[in-house]
Amino acid sequence: MIQGTLQASVTSRTIAVEHIRISSGRPFAQVRRKLEDTVPRLDTGIAELLRSGDQKRAKDYEENGPKLSIFGERDHGALLQIAGSRRNALQYDIGNPLTASKMTRHRLPAALYAPLRVVLFEDEQGRGVFEYDKPSSFFGQYGDEHVTEVGLYLDAALEAVLRNAAE
């Protein structure tokens, strides 16, 4: 039996990421409600469509379903109770499995950023503020036109739903 040493290799690369902030004049609770009323929760059945390869139903979902969905949320503000002051701060995972598959079929590492992360928090005046990193700025690192094209689409789609919730 031949024994060899298998070693892992590690590479590192720095990328520039554009950070976006959308400040609302509305109270946090109103911004949250509007976001959650206009961006639906993920239909978990869509994952089964993709797994089964059902092209017809997937196409119908892409054409008639929501452009973005909320995959989940985490209450980061509640974590601050340990410091004695709970705050309103929610982290959302927002995306679309079909859109993600348009990237990962070309570059699997793009899955690192899908779904997208958005934080909604309450500022000192009680107003809602969204912050997120612009999708094209991190999807562009792969140097693949298919992935970049989807990143640019997500720039516009995400900004539109967040602006809508903030206004």
Side-chain angles (χ1 to χ4, degrees):
M1 182 170 164
I2 300 173
Q3 290 199 358
T5 304
L6 300 178
Q7 294 184 344
S9 68
V10 177
T11 60
S12 177
R13 181 167 40 128
T14 301
I15 62 169
V17 175
E18 185 177 348
H19 189 75
I20 307 292
R21 180 182 180 113
I22 299 173
S23 299
S24 177
R26 297 175 172 271
F28 171 87
Q30 285 182 11
V31 176
R32 176 185 183 181
R33 190 168 35 258
K34 192 167 181 186
L35 176 69
E36 293 178 1
D37 286 348
T38 57
V39 180
R41 294 279 170 190
L42 176 67
D43 173 0
T44 55
I46 191 61
E48 183 53 40
L49 282 177
L50 295 174
R51 279 195 293 274
S52 70
D54 188 336
Q55 297 284 330
K56 184 178 182 298
R57 287 183 54 214
K59 183 174 175 53
D60 180 61
Y61 184 88
E62 181 176 26
E63 292 173 355
N64 302 307
K67 300 303 176 207
L68 295 172
S69 296
I70 297 173
F71 283 54
E73 71 180 59
R74 285 171 290 291
D75 187 347
H76 275 262
L79 301 176
L80 298 175
Q81 187 61 47
I82 193 71
S85 61
R86 187 186 192 295
R87 303 270 313 271
N88 286 320
L90 298 167
Q91 181 188 65
Y92 292 94
D93 292 327
I94 297 177
N96 181 313
L98 288 168
T99 304
S101 74
K102 290 178 181 181
M103 293 183 292
T104 56
R105 71 183 67 166
H106 300 285
R107 297 289 179 195
L108 281 172
L112 176 62
Y113 305 106
L116 306 169
R117 283 192 173 177
V118 174
V119 66
L120 169 62
F121 63 92
E122 185 175 47
D123 70 10
E124 295 76 21
Q125 289 77 39
R127 298 176 300 220
V129 177
F130 288 111
E131 291 199 17
Y132 64 98
D133 294 331
K134 192 170 188 175
S136 63
S137 69
F138 45 79
F139 287 128
Q141 73 178 295
Y142 298 109
D144 183 297
E145 66 185 51
H146 302 289
V147 176
T148 300
E149 181 180 327
V150 174
L152 292 169
Y153 163 79
L154 288 169
D155 289 350
L158 185 60
E159 182 177 343
V161 299
L162 298 180
R163 277 183 178 268
N164 178 61
E167 294 175 347

